[in-house]
Amino acid sequence: MDRELENMYEKFHIDRELLTFAEEIESSLKERFEKIDRIAEYNQMKVIRAMQENRVSDAHFAGTTGYGYNDIGREALEGVYASVFHTEAALVRPQIVCGTHALAVALFGNLRPGDELLSPVGKPYDTLEEIIGIRPSRGSLAEYGVTYRQVELKPDGSFDYEKIRAAVNERTKLVEIQRSKGYQTRPTFSVEQIGELISFIKGIKPDVICMVDNCYGEFVETIEPNDVGADLCVGSLIKNPGGGLAPIGGYIAGKEEYVENAAYRLTAPGLGKEVGATLSVNQSLFQGLFLAPQVVSGALKGAIFAANLYEKKGFSVIPDGTEERYDIIQAVTLGTPEGVIAFCKGIQAAAPVDSFAVPEPGYMPGYESDVIMAAGAFIQGASIELSADAPIAPPYAVYFQGGLTWYHAKLGILMSMQKMKEEGLL
Ligand SMILES: *Cc1c(COP(=O)(O)O)cnc(C)c1O
């Protein structure tokens, strides 16, 4: 590393020893980083083509107000998402307040009393427990008479096909497959694996709706779940596809009928997709999607860098330093609450926004245990921006993700490790 760059890192109190260690690791990752760049190159063109096919123009950036009838920007954006995901339709709205809401809208829109929802991949993301009613909650699917069944993954993280076959019954209406590990230490599934699971389920019951929770997975690979048979794909715009610029929103892409069912739930029966003013966010949603492939590639490099750095220091990391990546999340098991807190402090101190804040564990709506979060983000809570969060519970694993640029991700990881070092936790 040249002297000038080293001096700059010193301004962030990163010591020489750590820098040298990190340099070695970074140079060993050159080939993997090149592979990530090629995926970004492919996805960049996929997005540009989608924008061209939908004749995106300056006029689409102006928003509507009130009911939002004839919002051509909204319609073009939904067309672009449908093109990117290769689906019949998409619902992409600032009125979808977060990923959990997008998933709730898709589920409530497509399930009716007496139907059964199946998760063939074990426990879903924490916030879904209340939507489904796994943890009793007001307004849950359970209260509306929708039942739920769950099939655990096998101990090695693979699908338990035998038990899945036994779980599918005449009431099974919708199967929810979560791509990313979320707050668990199971592996994230590749799009190809999801495709195999969907084929298996459709082989048992062809008319079942296969829905994928695609949070954190967008643009990590060159294909998306809809390319391998998913009927619905759902995600948040303050994660990957918003590219860091989308200030709010979620998307639901898939078969027209199912997307419309979701739209009738989001707005109202009879209104559906026809209303929903975009106010002044259209341009950010387009531009964020345009930048997303590049942003995701930076976040992925950060995750791989972190895995290798922490692995070499003896911590257990999932995915490990050499594994293929299917989402942007990196779990690092630090083993103690102190480790988790020091890690998060380091990430926070590297932020462009709120770097002076000190993260502390606390209650978070939708989560069962106290959670600590580090985020110095331009968009509140945006986890495509460099962020780390951890439930304060064994095995004391921190889930780290994002970084709008690779350089910021790198700085954050170095500062987390420096913090651990200073507190004698390495
Ligand atoms: C983030 C996430 C969600 C929920 O999204 P929010 O925007 O936090 O509500 C759901 N599922 C998975 C896998 C996620 O990563």
Side-chain angles (χ1 to χ4, degrees):
M1 186 178 288
D2 67 56
R3 193 70 210 131
E4 193 182 27
L5 192 53
E6 211 171 86
N7 286 343
M8 185 52 106
Y9 276 114
E10 269 164 25
K11 292 194 174 128
F12 288 90
H13 307 290
I14 294 170
D15 66 40
R16 193 78 60 84
E17 187 197 14
L18 178 53
L19 270 186
T20 311
F21 171 63
E23 273 288 292
E24 276 167 27
I25 286 178
E26 189 180 337
S27 34
S28 76
L29 296 172
K30 196 163 168 286
E31 264 174 46
R32 293 196 70 192
F33 281 14
E34 278 168 7
K35 198 173 158 206
I36 289 169
D37 288 337
R38 282 194 293 275
I39 293 172
E41 189 175 349
Y42 179 93
N43 284 330
Q44 182 69 77
M45 286 188 276
K46 177 155 76 168
V47 170
I48 292 173
R49 269 180 66 80
M51 292 197 174
Q52 292 178 350
E53 279 163 18
N54 288 275
R55 301 177 65 82
V56 172
S57 157
D58 189 49
H60 295 136
F61 302 150
T64 53
T65 56
Y67 292 112
Y69 289 130
N70 306 314
D71 188 320
I72 58 167
R74 181 186 71 213
E75 285 162 12
L77 182 69
E78 292 182 337
V80 169
Y81 265 75
S83 298
V84 165
F85 287 94
H86 304 128
T87 56
E88 291 172 6
L91 187 67
V92 187
R93 301 290 167 118
Q95 285 83 11
I96 298 178
V97 303
C98 62
T100 302
H101 186 208
L103 290 158
V105 163
L107 291 171
F108 276 97
N110 284 286
L111 288 161
R112 298 291 179 271
D115 287 344
E116 190 159 277
L117 166 66
L118 170 68
S119 169
V121 296
K123 189 180 97 64
Y125 194 75
D126 272 32
T127 58
L128 283 216
E129 292 186 20
E130 284 171 289
I131 296 175
I132 297 168
I134 301 172
R135 272 186 283 145
S137 175
R138 272 198 276 177
S140 68
L141 285 165
E143 282 195 349
Y144 285 89
V146 174
T147 57
Y148 173 70
R149 221 175 258 255
Q150 176 174 314
V151 175
E152 300 305 323
L153 293 167
K154 287 186 171 170
D156 67 354
S158 64
F159 307 128
D160 194 333
Y161 285 117
E162 217 170 293
K163 293 219 173 91
I164 294 169
R165 184 187 295 282
V168 174
N169 60 60
E170 67 291 347
R171 293 200 298 114
T172 312
K173 173 74 175 294
L174 191 149
V175 174
E176 210 246 4
I177 302 165
Q178 185 181 310
R179 178 171 173 183
S180 171
K181 69 172 76 67
Y183 279 139
Q184 284 172 284
T185 43
R186 64 137 164 111
T188 288
F189 307 120
S190 69
V191 173
E192 196 187 340
Q193 284 174 304
I194 289 172
E196 284 161 16
L197 179 57
I198 291 173
S199 302
F200 178 79
I201 290 163
K202 295 265 183 187
I204 304 167
K205 193 170 186 183
D207 62 348
V208 78
I209 304 169
C210 288
M211 169 176 138
V212 175
D213 174 352
N214 205 26
C215 282
Y216 290 130
E218 299 92 349
F219 301 124
V220 172
E221 298 181 66
T222 54
I223 51 171
E224 298 291 341
N226 306 94
D227 294 316
V228 295
D231 300 303
L232 281 174
C233 200
V234 181
S236 163
L237 300 195
I238 63 166
K239 293 181 180 172
N240 305 15
L245 293 188
I248 190 169
Y251 77 90
I252 299 169
K255 293 238 169 80
E256 185 146 22
E257 183 192 347
Y258 306 142
V259 170
E260 283 189 354
N261 285 343
Y264 289 125
R265 176 71 196 199
L266 176 67
T267 61
L271 299 183
K273 291 182 85 177
E274 301 306 313
V275 293
T278 49
L279 306 174
S280 54
V281 302
N282 267 340
Q283 187 191 337
S284 307
L285 303 196
F286 279 107
Q287 203 171 348
L289 179 67
F290 172 75
L291 291 178
Q294 171 73 16
V295 169
V296 169
S297 74
L300 267 178
K301 288 176 187 175
I304 292 169
F305 180 67
N308 281 276
L309 224 60
Y310 276 92
E311 196 169 55
K312 296 243 159 42
K313 291 287 182 193
F315 294 94
S316 143
V317 294
I318 299 176
D320 74 25
T322 58
E323 257 172 84
E324 279 293 312
R325 297 284 158 156
Y326 306 120
D327 67 13
I328 63 166
I329 311 248
Q330 182 62 50
V332 183
T333 301
L334 297 162
T336 59
E338 293 76 26
V340 161
I341 294 167
F343 184 102
C344 289
K345 280 183 182 167
I347 296 289
Q348 187 74 39
V353 181
D354 292 333
S355 60
F356 48 83
V358 182
E360 276 178 29
Y363 167 78
M364 278 283 300
Y367 295 88
E368 211 170 356
S369 49
D370 274 4
V371 176
I372 184 167
M373 297 197 162
F378 293 99
I379 305 292
Q380 189 195 104
S383 46
I384 185 59
E385 297 190 52
L386 185 65
S387 49
D389 34 49
I392 303 293
Y396 301 103
V398 70
Y399 295 81
F400 149 90
Q401 68 271 312
L404 295 185
T405 69
W406 148 237
Y407 307 111
H408 178 216
K410 179 177 172 182
L411 178 67
I413 296 150
L414 290 175
M415 288 187 75
S416 74
M417 189 164 264
Q418 183 72 40
K419 201 82 184 169
M420 301 255 319
K421 197 172 167 183
E422 282 164 16
E423 301 199 3
L425 297 161
L426 278 191

